[in-house]
Amino acid sequence: MRLEPYTYVTLSMPRADQRSHLTVSFHTDEVHVLARVIDERRPYLAFSTPEANFSVSTTGGGPVTDADLALAQDIFNAAARYLADCERLYTEQPATGKSTDQTAA
């Protein structure tokens, strides 16, 4: 079964003494990714679809820290793995599965 592209967002709001939890899942080719630097001191990475936005920036919106560098490296490594997995799975698909057409027949 193939679903239409979608963005899935959930928010869990437990008791007052517990943290809320937000989940954003992008299952669409309408994801736009942007990386910029604000005021030449604070980098940010943003993902957006028509339905939701998600961004990552420095700790507390301040200058870059060691933790920020570690997070950026983790994001880079995860993105490289995602790319490698997409390329491998794409080449393993039958030619009929490689269509970029998302419309229903």
Side-chain angles (χ1 to χ4, degrees), residues 7 24-35 44-56:
T7 298
V24 179
S25 300
F26 299 119
H27 302 273
T28 176
D29 61 358
E30 292 184 289
V31 177
H32 300 281
V33 181
L34 176 68
Y44 75 95
L45 176 65
F47 298 80
S48 63
T49 70
E51 298 86 15
N53 297 310
F54 171 79
S55 63
V56 177

Side-chain angles (χ1 to χ4, degrees), residues 37-96:
V37 175
I38 300 171
D39 297 331
E40 292 302 317
R41 66 178 194 89
R42 185 166 59 104
Y44 75 95
L45 176 65
F47 298 80
S48 63
T49 70
E51 298 86 15
N53 297 310
F54 171 79
S55 63
V56 177
S57 189
T58 54
T59 304
V64 177
T65 66
D66 289 340
D68 297 323
L69 288 173
L71 175 60
Q73 188 66 53
D74 289 346
I75 291 169
F76 177 85
N77 290 336
R81 175 63 187 260
Y82 180 73
L83 173 60
D85 288 342
C86 285
E87 290 174 336
R88 177 182 55 82
L89 293 169
Y90 182 80
T91 59
E92 292 173 359
Q93 293 181 112
T96 57

